[in-house]
Amino acid sequence: MLRKTGPPLLALALLFGAAASRAAEEPLAVGKIPHSLELPARYPDSWVFAHDFNFNAIVDGKVAILDVAAGTRPYKGHLDAGQFASFLASRRRPELYVTQTFLSRRTYGERTDVLTIFDRRTLLPRAEIVLPPRRMQVVTQRNAFQLTPDEKWAFVMNFTPAASVTVVDLKARKVLGEIPTPACNFVFPTGKRGFSSLCGDGSLATFQLGKDASLDALQRSVPFIDIDADPLYVKNATLDGITYFPSFRGRVQPVDFRAKQPRLLPAWSLLEGAPPAERWAPGGWQVVAGGAGGRLFVLMHRDASEGSHKYGGVEVWVFEAKTGRRIKRIPLQQWSVSIAVTKGKPGYLVVTNQEMELDIYDSASGEWLRTLHVNASANPMVVYGR
Amino acid sequence: MMNLDRFIEQQSRRLAQRSSRRGFLGSLGQLVCGAVALPLLPVARARASVSPAEPPQSTGDPRDPGDPTLCEYWRYCAIDGFLCSCCGGARNACPPGTEMSPLTWIGTCRNPADGRNYVISYNDCCGKTSCGRCLCNRNEGDRPAYRAQDNNDLNWCLGTESSVYTCSTAVILGVEE
């Protein structure tokens, strides 16, 4: 094996020889059975939850946990989240929440809707709250399931198509009640103990609840969305307490949901300085994300037209949310459909590309760092980064 | 229901890897040559999502032109999901063993044969797992789900025995006045 002899190589050969003979003396240790790994109770800032909707078998979706900073072993595990599930990670408790639907014979039989509480460490279901069997089933939308700011309650959107919201006490692990929200859908937590919904006439309805989760007050805004001409996406990003909704044609409507009554702030345009002839607009599924330093990220495409609002995009535009000033344009490696930004400074920009893999970029420089594979049939429509 | 046509391209590519590379590139060529690239994208993909070996289908009625297994078929202007025409059903009928949802979203599509605008009901078929063939997503007139009747992201398997989505149809409700 040695082509040349000499002192260094000879020493190396002796070393290997010694290692080989030690290996012969000490066989590998016997494995431990059973043996399952656990995760830490607090995840590093670079870990994300990739919600795999799984179009080809919607009854069997999942939420995969990945470390987007890791060059090796990025996949940490997954939770089951089937049949148009919704997902949320608690910020206060080591818990993860999934609302999902089961049929007793998988595709037929009795329907049971549940809010499943998973343990962050073991990823095992720790508790389950049975819900009224009418939760909204929709391609992954964050605002179909939300928590109050103190995380005592959860709001679950229902759609039969009659609209209502189930109020759940997460500590007592029980359903408190159900609030009808006629012709209004989705939940935007408002104040300490209320929520708002977007309505079919372009207005916002706000429901303030009492301590027993009964309806205290209902107020409706004047219609402010022209749903035919330029509707707001349901998708939004919240930065420093203000929630930013992009519109199909490139406006941004900021709304402050912190007080009992939501406050509409002046809208601004994503397209300041963009040549009108290029017809840029937001496009994709989760088209918007918020990052450290009050930065708003929007997935953009050119040559927009009626019906192109879900087609994805080739660039991410970065704005200073407070002023609406564009800071940067990040050209993407390939056509993409959803974006997220992780915690941390500056945080990673996580982009679901057209191959349904995750492209990871530095969110400040826009530099592409790596691509992560979720699984062979994954549709990570929404990634939860913050 | 269903959304996000980019997924179709992923499926197309996977199929292309398993089948004729030239056939796939042919579709891509159509796509790239389109004058307005974006709205045509799903059109090219749908052909790739059925086997290139399958001959085209026809409605058999010259007043109802096109191939109902293709995303470009005129009635599919606001459809989102697997085409029942590829799943054992038809453009206006559910596959065996599935139930048509009585509730749905509505689109308005122009029939190129007579130039009329028809009101189309995109009834979902429900009760078996996702078909997985001919995914098609077109969003002309699609609006966010807070105006539910114009939204194709919702699972419209409502009012059916099972809420499990299988595929989507496109049924004529009438001519728009």
Side-chain angles (χ1 to χ4, degrees), chain A residues 107 137 232 306 310 335 355, chain B residues 6 13 141 146 152 155 162:
Chain A
T107 56
Q137 299 189 351
L232 300 183
E306 169 58 40
K310 287 184 220 161
W335 198 274
E355 305 289 347
Chain B
R6 287 288 148 192
R13 288 183 184 202
Y146 50 89
N152 63 19
N155 177 13
S162 165

Side-chain angles (χ1 to χ4, degrees), chain A residues 4 8 81 94 122 125 212 225 235 304 307 331:
Chain A
K4 295 195 275 189
T122 62
D212 60 351
I225 306 169
K235 288 87 170 176

Side-chain angles (χ1 to χ4, degrees), chain A residues 39 118 167 232 259 261 324 357:
Chain A
L39 299 176
F118 289 92
V167 184
L232 300 183
Q261 263 310 299
E357 295 184 324

Side-chain angles (χ1 to χ4, degrees), chain A residues 5 36 54 58 84 123 133-134 146 162 164 166 180 198 208 230-231 239 260 267 271 306 360 363 371:
Chain A
T5 54
S36 303
N54 197 11
I58 297 168
F84 299 89
L123 302 186
R134 42 186 170 268
Q146 288 285 303
S164 65
T166 298
L198 287 163
Q208 285 300 333
D230 188 20
L239 289 164
K260 279 189 172 180
L271 307 177
E306 169 58 40
I360 315 301
S363 78
T371 297

